[in-house]
Amino acid sequence: MQRAAARVLRGARTPPAGTPSATARVPPPRGLLYERHGEPAAVVQLKDLKVAELRDSDVHVKMLAAPINPADINMIQGTYAILSPLPAVGGNEGVGEVLEVGRRVTALKPGDWVIPAGAGVGTWRTQGVFPEEMLLKVPNDIPVLCAATLSVNPCTAYRMLADFETLAPGDSVIQNAANSGVGQAVIQIAKASGIKTINVVRDRPDLPKLVERLMALGADHVITEEMLRKPEMKDIFKSIPKPRLALNCVGGKSTTEMLRHLQPKGTMVTYGGMAKQPVMVPVSTFIFRDVRLRGFWMTQWKKDHAQDQESLTSMMDALCQLIRRGQLTAPACTEVPLQDYKAALEATMKPFTSSKQILLF
């Protein structure tokens, strides 16, 4: 994958003058490039890119929209579990429209919408040529912002709800970072399945506005981290059962307090560490309540299921059906033209960010 991604970036030859090509019908490509690791504001630059030659199994794509996710920032900083070869185009998620395909490409045609099949593609660009296996076709009858944000957060939410506990209508789930992209997707997917959600957020100046927005998505309860420690939590469990599944994206004290409300033999899944603090679990939680701790990383799931296209396809179909029915929407987004990327990167780094920055091309 990394060799293919490097070829996507470095491929320099363009078709000879006069050769019919989609390249001639669109402006020269530009992208957000970083040549060294560091803080995004210091190392990311908008530069002209060369489009690789379209080979037999390649697809020429015009990008439509791409989000800025926390993992994208970590990759630029050089702190993520996987790093693209430098120089690299930023971005791991987004949606594009097929302009042209190589002669051996049969699953895609011009006009189709595609998203990355894995990480490291480099989506913060106006156009690019990618090997067919690096792309996944998605329906073009869903909103572009839903398609652009489909492959990471909704998939993570879907898998965590499906893979760790057998949940039935009426069961409950507790999660922190409930206003994150994954958190918003968890609320909506759970609601569509009849599963109750207890949603933990950090206290903030605009808390009532955030609570209202999450309740509108289908949240059953929205509480602050401080409330996790208070006796009033008992009131919540008068109407819904204690959760069998907890989803952790924070770490530290927030996670320890959330664990106290998990049913015996329940499972906590950690998929992020926003607080940059370890997960701390009392010994008694293991001995007397037999709570299970698991981890989840969507990138690893895709690697593990690389030969199981049915699992990937069924998940994407289920998510797209929810989108079509209006039961799953894109997270709160701020649409930003590519040339204003510095403002988008700066906004992403701010605390209490509840709106995902989406680059438009």
Side-chain angles (χ1 to χ4, degrees), residues 21-209:
S21 168
T23 309
R25 299 193 296 271
V26 294
R30 296 188 302 163
L32 298 181
L33 192 74
Y34 58 101
E35 298 177 338
R36 59 186 175 89
H37 293 125
E39 290 306 308
V43 301
V44 174
Q45 295 179 303
L46 179 58
K47 289 193 171 186
D48 292 337
L49 303 175
K50 293 180 179 179
V51 178
E53 178 184 6
L54 188 74
R55 300 183 185 180
D56 289 349
S57 298
D58 287 346
V59 181
H60 185 190
V61 177
K62 175 187 181 297
M63 292 303 299
L64 301 175
I68 300 177
N69 290 320
D72 304 326
I73 300 297
N74 294 153
M75 287 182 74
I76 295 167
Q77 293 168 329
T79 60
Y80 202 57
I82 55 171
L83 300 175
S84 298
L86 299 178
V89 174
N92 291 287
E93 188 179 30
V95 63
E97 179 182 347
V98 174
L99 295 177
E100 189 178 13
V101 300
R103 62 181 183 177
R104 292 183 181 173
V105 175
T106 58
L108 296 171
K109 64 182 184 304
D112 286 343
W113 280 11
V114 290
I115 62 175
V121 172
T123 55
W124 298 350
R125 64 174 90 207
T126 57
Q127 58 176 289
V129 172
F130 308 97
E132 182 184 15
E133 68 267 17
M134 292 176 67
L135 302 171
L136 182 67
K137 182 179 176 180
V138 295
N140 57 12
D141 63 345
I142 61 175
V144 67
L145 293 184
C146 288
T149 56
L150 178 62
S151 65
V152 177
N153 294 333
C155 291
T156 298
Y158 183 94
R159 294 260 62 98
M160 291 194 301
L161 288 170
D163 292 352
F164 295 94
E165 289 283 346
T166 303
L167 300 173
D171 286 341
S172 72
V173 173
I174 189 169
Q175 63 166 343
N176 54 26
N179 59 305
S180 66
V182 171
Q184 293 176 58
V186 165
I187 291 170
Q188 295 175 87
I189 296 169
K191 178 73 172 180
S193 303
I195 297 165
K196 308 295 184 180
T197 56
I198 304 162
N199 302 278
V200 185
V201 298
R202 290 182 293 174
D203 198 5
R204 64 194 66 210
D206 64 342
L207 180 63
K209 184 178 178 181

